[in-house]
Amino acid sequence: MENVIRFENIEKIYDMGKVSVQALRGVSSDIKKGEFVAVIGPSGSGKSTLMHIMGCLDTATTGSYWLEGKEISKMKKNRLSQIRNKQIGFVFQTFNLLPHLNVRRNVELPLMYSGISAGKRYKMAEKVLNDVGLGDRMNHKPSELSGGQRQRVAIARAIVNNPAIILADEPTGNLDTSSGNDILSIFSQLNLTGNTIIIVTHDPAVAQRADRIIRIVDGLIVE
Amino acid sequence: MAISITESIRVGLSDFWSRKIRSFVTILGIMLGTMSVIVILAMVNGINKQTLAWMMERGGLAKITIHHNWGYESKKNLPDYFTLKEIFNIRELLPEAQYYNPEMNDWGRLSYLDKSFRTRVQGIVPDFQFIEEWSVDQGRFISQFDIDQNNDVIVIGTKAVEELFGSAEPLGKFINFNSRRLQIIGIMKHRYLKNSFNVGDENSLDYLNWRCFVPISTMINKISGEDKINTLTLKAHSPEEAPDLADKLEEILLNMRQGEPIFDIQSAKEEAQQIEKNAGTFRVVFFLISIISLLVAGIVIINIMLATIQERTREIGIRLAVGARRFDIFIQFLVQTVIVTFIGGLIGTAAGISMLNIVSKYMEFQLIAYPGMVIVALAVAVGVGFLAGIIPAVKAANLDPVQALHYE
Ligand SMILES: Nc1ncnc2c1ncn2[C@@H]1O[C@H](COP(=O)(O)OP(=O)(O)OP(=O)(O)O)[C@@H](O)[C@H]1O
Ligand SMILES: [Mg+2]
């Protein structure tokens, strides 16, 4: 199987004037298409930092990163926006929905930045919302939904542009066990239909669902 | 690939409605600014229109008027009036003028049978009709023959008709002026100009309707008994020639009075230019005032937008995460600012136009709207929004995605 993601000797240093924090100390790995990977490790170990780099939200201080065969560490910011838009879907612990937009418009957001027409956007958003079981909540504001439902909207938004990878940072961290399990089932379902999924988590139960575990301790991959 | 402008406008508009109070505070300054722009433009327009209309009614821009210079005291006691002979001399020296009218006024009582009233009777020549662009409605005006013969004839205004005759026929009747019997040969056209200054008569030319006219020779030889012409009016062939004519006239008059500026020369064209210049200064001053208020409005907008962006840092992070480019963010906030100021401009324009009547009443002066000022006011509002929107929009566009996403 081909590698969707490949990174080599990634280091990330946060330079804050007097002190600098080395969040990643040279990590290398690759992730194959269709894999379900869990990134685990203690708090402050560098999991989110790695996810930001894989998601092209941030760039590594040194090292190389290839997404679908293309080296991106040296790309311009606008190009990175385009990659986030087309090739990456994010799911965050805090949902990160826009509160003043209704559910459908939240899901349409990535499509809007792709320049897709309003009519087509509507159909695509409707379809993914049906897939996550929220077809009847399209016109609700996020504040009118439960935590689990909000996270399903976030998943719908992440998959609507049919990305190469789905990155989730503690997606069940703000949810009770039952809605957390619902969310994980959706990820498993998405993985079965061929999506590449990378979940950052503390929770061993979550990690069990994954094909493979990447364990990070103190900025290094230990397993 | 880029988010389209219509999409930005849609996002901007929904932002506007979802934050009504803040939007209202933002547009308040712009509203007041555009409102004052509208009022100022209408005010200047009103002044110009009214003064020019009045000047056109009073003989147009080619007219030149000469009378005693009230600000000057002759050292040698030289006469501050003309004799008829002097007028003929001036006419010979200055043939470029198209029309000449020496005027000699006398106050007195006009009476017919048992009715009478006090008014001003003017001794004039036939050129009067062409200089003032005003002549008879019925009968005939004073002719050169009347002048040559010192005829005892009079042309009366509509007020005299009203006072002395009511509905009776005045033409051909004899009336008395200071015990001189004069036959009515004509009735002047009624004069009317709507007064847009809300003080005085509703008809700003009504004073002319009181006037009555006799041949200047009759006035000099039979009524007042003095050859003292206090006013001379003349008319150039065109308004463009008037200032030049006025200059030549000044030289002739100075020579006639041993270099003393006994007479005052007023060219309607020059007055109009002066009025326009004054209106221009007025416009500049008030434009500066509205510019300053719009500048303040702009600074308020910058600050509110900066606060808005700070508040929406996380939203910007989310938009960046799902693929917005920095330019998309820039446009979103710039368009939003422009929309806010455009709406403020629209409301301000509407408010400005609808309050023109109230301001007119209060200022006792008519403010006149015209289509172009809407465009000017809206352009000013949008311009302010555009300039004020740039700094916050740049700030928003330069946010770091990760930091914006984790902003609390
Ligand atoms: N923007 C930043 N500036 C400075 N230091 C940072 C920044 N972001 C992360 N760090 C530091 O980098 C290290 C790794 O942080 P990271 O967020 O990747 O940890 P994590 O594994 O996701 O932790 P958690 O499980 O608590 O989310 C930490 O020491 C953190 O303090
Ligand atoms: Mg983390």
Side-chain angles (χ1 to χ4, degrees), chain B residues 300-345:
Chain B
V300 169
I301 290 170
I302 291 176
N303 281 300
I304 292 184
M305 284 311 289
L306 284 174
T308 303
I309 282 158
Q310 174 133 12
E311 213 174 70
R312 295 170 69 178
T313 299
R314 209 179 168 110
E315 170 188 335
I316 294 165
I318 294 167
R319 288 181 184 272
L320 288 168
V322 300
R325 298 171 315 160
R326 291 198 291 175
F327 185 69
D328 296 323
I329 302 294
F330 173 81
I331 283 291
Q332 177 189 338
F333 285 97
L334 185 63
V335 165
Q336 196 192 332
T337 318
V338 171
I339 285 174
V340 164
T341 53
F342 181 73
I343 291 173

Side-chain angles (χ1 to χ4, degrees), chain A residues 159-172:
Chain A
I159 62 177
V160 72
N161 226 354
N162 203 13
I165 56 170
I166 297 163
L167 293 170
D169 194 349
E170 310 268 15
T172 58

Side-chain angles (χ1 to χ4, degrees), chain A residues 55-217:
Chain A
C56 301
L57 281 169
D58 208 349
T59 45
T61 311
T62 58
S64 305
Y65 172 45
W66 292 268
L67 178 66
E68 292 198 300
K70 289 204 185 74
E71 157 78 287
I72 28 193
S73 15
K74 312 249 147 29
M75 279 182 184
K76 294 248 162 59
K77 286 190 170 152
N78 278 344
R79 185 83 184 94
L80 293 180
S81 287
Q82 223 171 332
I83 288 171
R84 290 196 295 272
N85 183 250
K86 288 265 172 22
Q87 288 166 261
I88 292 159
F90 286 105
V91 179
F92 300 96
Q93 179 174 355
T94 51
F95 321 130
N96 278 338
L97 301 174
L98 296 188
H100 55 279
L101 298 185
N102 68 22
V103 162
R104 178 174 60 76
R105 290 214 181 277
N106 264 290
V107 174
E108 283 184 19
L109 211 56
L111 303 175
M112 191 177 86
Y113 290 113
S114 301
I116 291 170
S117 73
K120 211 168 158 201
R121 277 189 334 234
Y122 188 102
K123 288 210 187 74
M124 290 167 79
E126 196 179 29
K127 186 191 168 293
V128 287
L129 279 167
N130 279 327
D131 288 350
V132 298
L134 286 176
D136 54 343
R137 296 296 163 95
M138 295 217 300
N139 297 317
H140 287 237
K141 288 279 167 67
S143 58
E144 297 159 7
L145 303 181
S146 72
Q149 288 170 326
R150 287 183 212 185
Q151 198 59 303
R152 281 192 266 160
V153 175
I155 292 172
R157 181 181 64 190
I159 62 177
V160 72
N161 226 354
N162 203 13
I165 56 170
I166 297 163
L167 293 170
D169 194 349
E170 310 268 15
T172 58
N174 276 12
L175 301 175
D176 59 63
T177 319
S178 127
S179 24
N181 282 333
D182 289 348
I183 295 301
L184 290 173
S185 302
I186 293 175
F187 280 119
S188 299
Q189 201 64 40
L190 286 170
N191 182 235
L192 282 178
T193 55
N195 289 285
T196 310
I197 294 169
I198 301 157
I199 294 189
V200 171
T201 185
H202 275 115
D203 187 348
V206 174
Q208 272 174 12
R209 300 228 182 195
D211 303 332
R212 179 154 74 95
I213 290 175
I214 294 177
R215 187 187 300 274
I216 299 185
V217 177

